[in-house]
Amino acid sequence: MQKLIINGGARLEGKIQINGSKNAVLPIAVAAAILGDSVSVLHNVPNLTDVRTLSAVLEGLGASITRKNGSLYIEPINRMEYEAPYDLVRKMRASIYVLGPLVAKLGRAKVSFPGGCAIGPRPVDLHIRGLERLGAQVEVKRGYIYAQAERLVGAEIDLIGQHGPSVGATANVMMAATLAEGTTVIQGAACEPHISDLARFLNAMGADVDGIGTSTLTIRGVKQLHGTEHTVISDDIEAGTFMVAAAMTNGDVYIEGITPPQTHAVSEKLIEAGVQLDWDRTGVRVTTPGQLKPIDVTTAPFPGFPTDMQAQMMGLLSLASGTSTITENVHTDRFIHAAELNRMGADIRLEGRKAIINGVSSLSGAPVMASDLRAGAVLVVAGMAAAGETTVSRIYHIDRGYEAIEKKLNSIGADIRRVSDSE
Ligand code: EPZ
């Protein structure tokens, strides 16, 4: 295993380019590999562990995937393989995305039931409910979800769950509905930018999805989808993470390849906390003219403040001049990073879904451990802002969603080394 050793205290300065969105490319690659009848080419694909894991799942189903210069060439499945086994699914929950498309294309699917993870229980009841509404028979036994249907049939489906809309269920059901007979209307659909990117990709394949970007999606089923070429949208969470990094190191960083609507809720909160954002046509310059101010943040589905930026925001607010709060409404157990930040000198107290963050004047380097992707990201960012050396272990979590994070940050002044655990 590897770890990152961060020599803190440097001010970040310079220009950094944002990659394609992890959470967009995962369902798009699934659609290309399972629903399409011919080759698709995806551009702006980040080189991440999650993308490689998903590629292995899709290759196990019979697709053929080649990566060349940031693009994925996806030749769709060519045999009747319909099982996504435990060994692959356990590595990445997003493997559940193959469920709907497999039933739509092959009439059946057997997908390992994904477990919980470090950010709390992550049920799939809405995915199952949606497919059942499309006429699939679904059964969960011996750790697997079995689904089958001769042909899916369009229906009205409400996908609002206990914690609001579900990104994954919306993607799964929307993909399945593209090949169903008749029209499907999804109420309470997730509106995240990566869901819209998936819908645009499906339409380019010949699907008929209406209402993109809204909470009501209308999908008129078609008989067949073909391969297409698509440039994946940029990663709003990677951009938000680097915005926070710039602000926490009192830096001056230009973040290229991101637009204001993608990061709206995050930008609003950063500005409220005293960060200056100067947008132009290609990106945003991030500076912090004065002391960071305390604020209150509540996570919510898009267009609310994203749960995937909650950890990074907690890092930032730990250096504000007063008491802030963060309420986590999406993944209610997603607070493991608070204890690690406290090891670095932060003053964070948890009360159920709420974190109370008393700002401190500085952080100090410490050995810390990444418990999930975004928890890992905040430890790297806090390590750059802290005095002295921080060692972040279990960085395989970070590599799932940030391509060569240390190289990018070193290019704008950070001092981060990747070493193996034995060193
Ligand atoms: C996606 O996960 C993202 N993953 C997550 O990003 C992100 O945190 C999450 O959306 C919310 O934005 C990918 O896109 C691959 P959900 P997903 O279904 O689809 C509940 C990251 O750091 N729910 O929108 O699994 C669920 O428990 C990752 O990049 C049900 O109750 O999330 C949660 O409280 C981590 N039943 C809420 O809905 C279901 O069937 C939202 O989850 C499904 C979900």
Side-chain angles (χ1 to χ4, degrees):
M1 280 209 279
Q2 295 180 315
K3 58 190 178 188
L4 293 176
I5 299 178
I6 304 158
N7 193 7
R11 180 170 186 258
L12 297 185
E13 250 177 309
K15 186 158 94 175
I16 202 161
Q17 175 73 38
I18 294 308
N19 283 343
S21 160
K22 166 181 85 81
N23 289 345
V25 79
L26 297 176
I28 288 175
V30 169
I34 301 179
L35 296 173
D37 274 347
S38 49
V39 175
S40 284
V41 186
L42 308 182
H43 303 296
N44 201 27
V45 176
N47 193 4
L48 304 171
T49 322
D50 268 9
V51 174
R52 291 192 291 275
T53 305
L54 183 75
S55 297
V57 172
L58 297 173
E59 282 172 339
L61 292 168
S64 163
I65 303 181
T66 323
R67 184 183 178 95
K68 208 169 147 192
N69 302 330
S71 299
L72 280 193
Y73 295 75
I74 303 183
E75 223 173 283
I77 54 174
N78 58 5
R79 56 175 201 257
M80 297 295 278
E81 188 57 63
Y82 61 92
E83 177 175 343
Y86 173 72
D87 261 2
L88 289 172
V89 175
R90 75 182 168 83
K91 292 188 185 154
M92 191 182 62
R93 288 182 49 86
S95 313
I96 187 77
Y97 280 147
V98 304
L99 183 67
L102 280 178
V103 191
K105 186 72 183 272
L106 303 180
R108 57 179 172 165
K110 177 183 173 189
V111 179
S112 173
F113 196 94
C117 59
I119 61 177
R122 296 177 71 188
V124 289
D125 56 308
L126 296 170
H127 300 241
I128 293 176
R129 190 212 291 172
L131 291 175
E132 283 178 336
R133 292 283 300 146
L134 291 175
Q137 284 179 320
V138 187
E139 219 185 331
V140 180
K141 53 182 182 191
R142 289 188 291 279
Y144 277 83
I145 307 170
Y146 293 78
Q148 61 176 38
E150 216 156 275
R151 177 142 192 227
L152 296 173
V153 180
E156 287 240 352
I157 304 172
D158 184 346
L159 279 185
I160 285 273
Q162 201 186 339
H163 300 292
S166 158
V167 169
T170 303
N172 222 333
V173 175
M174 170 166 61
M175 288 190 278
T178 57
L179 290 181
E181 197 179 318
T183 300
T184 298
V185 178
I186 302 180
Q187 306 284 4
C191 307
E192 270 68 7
H194 35 284
I195 289 292
S196 302
D197 204 34
L198 169 65
R200 283 191 294 270
F201 176 73
L202 291 167
N203 281 351
M205 294 179 85
D208 184 353
V209 182
D210 230 355
I212 297 178
T214 74
S215 58
T216 306
L217 292 172
T218 304
I219 304 132
R220 288 171 208 89
V222 296
K223 288 228 154 61
Q224 212 178 352
L225 295 174
H226 52 77
T228 188
E229 199 165 338
H230 181 78
T231 300
V232 175
I233 52 162
S234 51
D235 197 317
D236 52 326
I237 305 299
E238 189 195 30
T241 304
F242 293 151
M243 285 175 170
V244 167
M248 278 184 81
T249 59
N250 194 23
D252 183 348
V253 178
Y254 184 80
I255 299 175
E256 192 170 35
I258 193 76
T259 61
Q262 278 179 283
T263 55
H264 180 69
V266 172
S267 296
E268 242 183 9
K269 284 295 170 188
L270 287 174
I271 292 168
E272 201 185 320
V275 179
Q276 187 167 328
L277 301 179
D278 296 303
W279 288 94
D280 63 19
R281 224 172 23 84
T282 54
V284 61
R285 180 179 171 204
V286 185
T287 50
T288 310
Q291 170 69 41
L292 290 166
K293 294 179 243 173
I295 56 168
D296 298 312
V297 178
T298 300
T299 66
F302 191 84
F305 188 91
T307 173
D308 294 348
M309 277 300 299
Q310 182 257 104
Q312 301 88 316
M313 203 62 177
M314 191 181 286
L316 180 97
L317 295 178
S318 67
L319 288 179
S321 60
T323 301
S324 303
T325 64
I326 295 186
T327 307
E328 174 57 73
N329 277 336
V330 180
H331 299 302
T332 44
D333 289 345
R334 197 177 205 178
F335 275 145
I336 296 180
H337 43 276
E340 297 302 289
L341 287 169
N342 283 347
R343 289 174 59 76
M344 300 179 71
D347 177 359
I348 303 163
R349 188 161 46 86
L350 300 179
E351 277 178 13
R353 289 180 178 198
K354 197 181 216 177
I356 295 124
I357 305 136
N358 294 314
V360 294
S361 56
S362 63
L363 296 173
S364 51
V368 285
M369 196 184 283
S371 55
D372 75 74
L373 168 56
R374 309 303 170 187
V378 70
L379 296 177
V380 173
V381 174
M384 291 188 297
E389 189 176 281
T390 294
T391 307
V392 184
S393 54
R394 302 214 174 152
I395 58 167
Y396 56 87
H397 287 296
I398 301 174
D399 293 333
R400 294 182 58 171
Y402 294 89
E403 179 179 329
I405 192 167
E406 75 280 17
K407 284 195 188 135
K408 272 196 165 179
L409 291 169
N410 285 345
S411 77
I412 53 170
D415 180 354
I416 308 177
R417 274 180 308 129
R418 181 183 289 257
V419 298
S420 70
D421 266 348
S422 50
E423 282 176 56

